[in-house]
């Protein structure tokens, strides 16, 4: 029985001299008002479909090849239309092999598309698809139950193919020139993934003809094995937690307890800090949390299931790190979970207690292997950056999250703060203080891109991502002042819109440079400036570093200054009305 092959492409020039002794079969599929209609005419206006048919036909005997024209010279084929066409083909035809030498890049949820190819697989059809020639992730090649073919400048045989395990790229071939039939002129020289894809379709069909079955490893000359990526996630759930120490990273927990999915039983600190006996509201301006800070030496181990332990560098310098090891050991002895912002001690990184311990981190084992290919999302991405550190960037991200959720939007979020997962953020890239990211530069871009894509698959309305520290260097006096890694992370986000956090004392020219840098690296637009409303006092009394809330008059001066000089609106971080207006500006920008 002849092998049945479908070529989904631009049609065929049936009167081509190369096909004089060949019966050319096919039809077109037209989509009109959500319905699919077949038409007999399938003339190729481009040449691509003719080339693919030629490459398969000229070497394959005893096969029934059907050319299905699904696009014309306008190349207009979006995800919804593609899904309609596939559904029609699935419901009305059966093919042993389906060749799709095309794809699309930017898309949202692929659940419906993946479901279609699952059905083709269950029906017994083998689908082969080419990846984008420019190196991006494209669909359907990247889907499960689709053999994705990619071309690389590999050494070795012109005819050789490499089978890749545990990657969205299933087969890699050497990019080479091929002479193919065309519409006009009759023949041209081409190179690209789509032509390699036709070669794989040919090999699969030959294997089916000869052996009635096939395996990818058998039609390839070499093989490359990747380990499956390990998901970086919290291995336990939290119902009731205690927090220690009460420092900068934990302040957000105290301010935004209502946004947590668990209860905070108590906050603890060292007595030497002077915080014990005071409430969170006493320590944090504008905070309404009335819980009293407790002495860490009086932990009530029966009152919680998880210890959240923050960065303890300052405490370690004061009294040594022995108390922290004691906390870890007692937590495990009492059967408690430990969520640590700092890296875990070596003796606790593996073994019987690994499911009870978590510290945010990301390295190569968590990374999907895909030859540097990047996903393109159609979801709006909003980034939060700043001119320097400690200016409320994480608080702003939480305010944005709360505001968008209150308005009924579905929010996806990436955080760089180690506490991000506690607030329900979808992904964490812990590149902040004492961060645990062990990736080279290309891997960093791929990792952040994967996070954006993972959130896209949840079909959210907006993706919010925050950066760390300052965005550009204040001066060129010291190499440590250059925030290169944070710029790399931001570049990988490729946000559509950016919110810039500033200080009241920032120079306008520096803010202008930051805006230009952000817009240049992302092609996005800075749509608002949020001012951290505290100024640093520095007077003859020596109150260096002490912060004081700026006056209403100073607020208005700043708003007028930035509107006049940069044509940008300024919003105060601690004013609810300002944040509401900022969110409305974000909504209007994306609508």
């Amino acid at each position: 029985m002849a092998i049945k092959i479908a070529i989904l492409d631009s049609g065929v020039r049936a009167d081509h001299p190369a096909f004089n002794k060949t019966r050319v079969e096919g039809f077109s599929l037209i989509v009109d008002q959500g319905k699919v209609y077949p038409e007999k005419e399938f003339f190729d206006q481009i040449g691509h479909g003719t080339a693919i048919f030629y490459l398969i036909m000229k070497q394959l005997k005893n096969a029934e090849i059907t050319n299905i024209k699904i696009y014309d010279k306008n190349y207009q084929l979006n995800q919804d239309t593609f899904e309609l066409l596939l559904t029609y083909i699935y419901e009305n035809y059966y093919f042993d092999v389906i060749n799709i030498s095309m794809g699309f890049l930017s898309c949202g949820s692929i659940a419906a598309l993946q479901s279609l190819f699952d059905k083709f697989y269950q029906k017994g059809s083998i689908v082969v698809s080419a990846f984008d020639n420019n190196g991006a992730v494209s669909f359907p090649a990247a889907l499960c139950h689709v053999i994705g073919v990619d071309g690389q400048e590999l050494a070795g045989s012109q005819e050789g193919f490499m089978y890749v395990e545990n990657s969205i790229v299933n087969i890699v071939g050497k990019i080479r020139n091929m002479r193919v039939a065309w519409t006009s002129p009759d023949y041209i020289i081409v190179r690209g993934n789509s032509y390699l894809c036709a070669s794989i379709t040919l090999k699969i069909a030959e294997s089916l003809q000869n052996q009635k079955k096939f395996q990818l490893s058998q039609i390839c000359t070499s093989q490359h094995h990747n380990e499956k990526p390990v998901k970086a996630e919290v291995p336990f759930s939290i119902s009731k937690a205690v927090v220690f120490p009460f420092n900068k990273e934990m302040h957000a927990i105290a301010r935004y307890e209502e946004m947590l999915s668990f209860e905070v039983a108590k906050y603890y600190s060292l007595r030497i800090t002077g915080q014990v006996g005071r409430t969170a509201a006493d320590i944090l301006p504008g905070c309404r949390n009335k819980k009293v800070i407790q002495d860490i030496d009086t932990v009530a181990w029966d009152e919680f299931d998880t210890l959240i332990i923050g960065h303890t560098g300052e405490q370690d310098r004061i009294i040594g790190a022995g108390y922290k090891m004691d906390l870890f050991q007692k937590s495990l002895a009492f059967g408690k979970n430990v969520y640590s912002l700092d890296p875990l001690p070596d003796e606790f990184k593996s073994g019987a207690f690994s499911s009870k311990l978590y510290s945010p981190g990301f390295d190569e084992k968590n990374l999907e292997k895909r030859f540097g290919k990047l996903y393109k999302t159609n979801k709006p991405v909003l980034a939060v950056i700043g001119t320097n550190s400690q200016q409320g960037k994480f608080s702003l991200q939480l305010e944005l999250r709360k505001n968008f959720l209150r308005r009924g939007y579905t929010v996806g979020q990436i955080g760089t703060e180690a506490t991000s997962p506690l607030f329900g953020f979808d992904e964490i890239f812990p590149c902040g203080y004492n961060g645990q990211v062990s990736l080279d530069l290309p891997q960093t871009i791929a990792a952040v891109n994967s996070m954006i894509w993972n959130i896209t698959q949840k079909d959210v309305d907006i993706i919010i991502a925050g950066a760390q520290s300052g965005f550009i260097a204040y001066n060129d006096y010291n190499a440590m002042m250059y925030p290169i890694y944070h710029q790399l992370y931001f570049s990988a986000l490729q946000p559509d819109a950016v919110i810039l956090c500033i200080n009241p004392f920032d120079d306008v020219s520096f803010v202008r440079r930051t805006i230009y840098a952000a817009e240049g690296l992302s092609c996005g637009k800075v749509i608002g400036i949020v001012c951290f409303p505290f100024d640093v006092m520095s007077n003859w009394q020596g109150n260096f570093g002490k912060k004081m809330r700026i006056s209403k008059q100073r607020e208005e001066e700043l708003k007028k200054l930035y509107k006049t000089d940069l044509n940008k609106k300024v919003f105060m971080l601690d004013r609810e009305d300002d944040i509401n207006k900022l969110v409305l500006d974000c909504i209007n920008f994306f609508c």
Side-chain angles (χ1 to χ4, degrees):
M1 190 172 180
I3 298 297
K4 294 183 177 181
I5 301 173
I7 299 175
L8 278 56
D9 216 290
S10 60
V12 175
R13 176 189 160 190
D15 64 351
H16 194 285
F19 310 146
N20 283 340
K21 298 180 180 180
T22 303
R23 184 174 179 179
V24 182
E25 300 284 352
F27 55 88
S28 296
L29 291 180
I30 308 299
V31 176
D32 184 23
Q33 297 183 351
K35 292 186 178 181
V36 180
Y37 302 95
E39 289 188 355
K40 292 182 179 181
E41 185 277 323
F42 58 99
F43 178 75
D44 186 3
Q45 298 173 292
I46 301 171
H48 191 274
T50 301
I52 300 301
F53 176 65
Y54 172 79
L55 289 171
I56 298 173
M57 173 277 303
K58 72 174 183 175
Q59 295 187 53
L60 191 62
K61 307 302 179 184
N62 193 31
E64 296 178 8
I65 303 176
T66 303
N67 297 280
I68 305 176
K69 181 177 178 179
I70 60 173
Y71 63 89
D72 57 22
K73 61 184 178 182
N74 294 321
Y75 292 97
Q76 293 181 350
L77 188 66
N78 59 34
Q79 183 176 350
D80 292 338
T81 300
F82 189 53
E83 289 173 2
L84 286 172
L85 295 172
L86 289 172
T87 301
Y88 182 88
I89 293 169
Y90 171 78
E91 292 176 347
N92 292 278
Y93 303 96
Y94 170 78
F95 299 102
D96 297 296
V97 186
I98 301 174
N99 184 98
I100 308 176
S101 293
M102 50 76 65
F104 49 90
L105 308 182
S106 182
C107 64
S109 172
I110 58 172
L113 192 61
Q114 181 62 69
S115 177
L116 278 168
F117 283 102
D118 291 344
K119 291 178 180 179
F120 277 111
Y121 176 78
Q122 293 161 6
K123 197 175 184 178
S125 296
I126 300 166
V127 182
V128 188
S129 181
F131 273 99
D132 171 64
N133 284 325
N134 293 317
V137 173
S138 60
F139 298 94
L143 297 175
C144 293
H145 297 149
V146 175
I147 299 172
V149 181
D150 190 39
Q152 302 282 340
E153 295 294 342
L154 301 172
S157 171
Q158 289 280 344
E159 300 297 328
F161 289 93
M162 180 173 67
Y163 167 50
V164 185
E165 292 183 289
N166 297 323
S167 171
I168 61 171
V169 178
N170 305 115
I171 293 184
V172 175
K174 182 178 178 64
I175 287 289
R176 63 185 187 274
N177 293 335
M178 300 182 188
R179 182 177 182 271
V180 297
W182 205 252
T183 50
S184 181
D186 287 346
Y187 294 93
I188 64 170
I189 303 297
V190 296
R191 59 191 284 126
N193 294 341
S194 58
Y195 309 109
L196 292 177
C197 181
S199 299
I200 293 298
T201 294
L202 174 64
K203 285 181 174 291
I204 291 173
E206 289 175 336
S207 180
L208 290 174
Q209 285 179 333
N210 298 331
Q211 304 176 35
K212 306 302 180 185
K213 61 180 181 179
F214 96 102
Q215 291 182 340
L216 288 178
S217 56
Q218 291 178 342
I219 66 171
C220 296
T221 55
S222 62
Q223 188 167 325
H224 178 75
H225 176 75
N226 292 313
E227 296 295 333
K228 290 184 178 180
V230 178
K231 178 68 175 177
E233 58 186 358
V234 183
F236 49 79
S237 59
I238 304 174
S239 178
K240 198 171 185 179
V242 296
V243 173
F244 170 83
F246 194 73
N247 55 12
K248 173 182 174 290
E249 289 72 29
M250 302 310 193
H251 292 171
I253 294 178
R255 288 184 184 276
Y256 296 96
E257 264 193 35
E258 75 280 4
M259 297 182 68
L260 301 170
S261 62
F262 55 88
E263 178 188 351
V264 176
K266 289 180 180 178
Y267 295 91
Y268 288 98
S269 188
L270 294 171
R271 183 167 290 280
I272 196 172
T273 64
Q275 295 176 330
V276 175
R278 300 174 65 189
T279 67
D282 291 335
I283 298 171
L284 302 177
C287 178
R288 298 186 180 92
N289 194 322
K290 299 295 185 180
K291 289 181 179 174
V292 177
I293 313 301
Q294 308 290 318
D295 185 353
I296 188 62
D297 292 330
T298 64
V299 174
W301 292 99
D302 60 342
E303 293 185 351
F304 62 93
D305 57 61
T306 303
L307 169 66
I308 301 173
I309 181 168
H311 299 307
T312 60
E314 185 176 349
Q315 290 79 6
D316 294 349
R317 284 191 292 273
I318 295 173
I319 63 173
Y323 76 96
K324 186 164 64 175
M325 291 296 295
D326 183 56
L327 281 175
F328 274 98
Q329 291 168 347
K330 284 184 177 179
S331 295
L332 296 175
F334 282 102
K336 307 302 178 182
N337 305 316
V338 177
Y339 186 110
S340 175
L341 273 58
D342 283 330
L344 296 170
D346 290 340
E347 53 265 51
F348 296 111
K349 287 183 178 179
S350 61
F353 296 114
S354 58
S355 64
K356 306 287 288 183
L357 300 168
Y358 174 76
S359 179
F362 204 100
D363 59 28
E364 189 175 0
K365 73 175 184 294
N366 308 122
L367 190 63
E368 179 186 51
K369 308 301 188 294
R370 55 178 193 265
F371 295 89
K373 294 181 180 297
L374 301 179
Y375 293 100
K376 301 292 290 183
T377 181
N378 64 0
K379 299 297 181 182
V381 179
L382 174 66
V384 175
I385 64 172
T387 53
N388 70 358
S389 60
Q390 298 186 22
Q391 52 187 183
K393 288 185 289 295
F394 191 58
S395 293
L396 176 59
Q397 292 164 60
L398 292 172
E399 287 290 345
L400 291 170
R401 179 182 183 85
K402 181 169 63 175
N403 207 305
F404 275 109
L405 290 172
R406 187 171 65 239
R407 294 171 187 272
Y409 291 97
T410 305
V411 177
Q413 208 151 3
I414 301 175
T416 54
E417 293 288 347
T419 54
S420 298
L422 300 175
F423 290 97
F425 284 26
D426 304 85
E427 300 281 349
I428 177 175
F429 193 74
C431 60
Y433 174 75
N434 218 9
Q436 302 175 68
V437 177
S438 300
L439 300 171
D440 60 28
L441 300 188
Q443 288 173 338
T444 297
I445 294 172
V448 176
N449 177 257
S450 289
M451 293 177 182
I452 290 286
W453 181 248
N454 292 340
I455 297 175
T456 297
Q457 297 317 293
K458 298 180 180 181
D459 206 18
V460 298
D461 296 312
I462 187 171
I463 299 173
I464 302 173
Q468 281 285 327
S469 191
F471 193 70
I472 61 174
Y474 270 109
N475 54 53
D476 57 359
Y477 299 160
N478 192 294
M480 301 303 292
M481 296 296 293
Y482 285 82
I484 301 300
Y485 201 80
H486 301 315
Q487 291 175 8
L488 182 72
Y489 162 79
F490 175 83
S491 297
L493 292 173
Q494 283 299 290
D496 305 287
V498 181
I499 297 173
L500 174 63
C501 294
I502 66 166
N503 302 298
F505 49 82
D506 285 337
D507 187 88
V508 176
S509 62
F510 181 74
V511 174
R512 180 185 290 109
R513 285 176 50 216
T514 304
I515 292 172
Y516 288 164
E519 294 183 340
L521 284 174
S522 68
C523 295
K525 182 177 177 58
V526 175
I527 60 174
I529 295 175
V530 173
C531 181
F532 183 64
F534 288 84
D535 214 340
V536 178
M537 295 177 60
S538 176
N539 56 35
W540 64 273
Q541 294 176 310
N543 294 320
F544 298 103
K546 185 176 180 180
K547 295 180 179 180
M548 180 178 68
R549 177 62 168 81
I550 63 174
S551 65
K552 180 65 175 177
Q553 179 182 350
R554 179 62 175 150
E555 284 185 31
E556 297 304 319
E557 290 173 353
L558 285 168
K559 290 182 177 181
K560 184 178 179 180
L561 173 66
Y562 282 99
K563 184 62 177 177
T564 301
D565 285 17
L566 302 182
N567 194 29
K568 299 293 182 184
K569 292 182 183 179
V570 172
F571 307 88
M572 293 296 148
L573 177 61
D574 62 347
R575 294 206 181 276
E576 187 176 348
D577 286 349
D578 275 17
I579 300 302
N580 286 335
K581 292 175 183 176
L582 173 62
V583 170
L584 286 174
D585 281 358
C586 292
I587 293 171
N588 291 332
F589 177 81
F590 288 119
C591 289

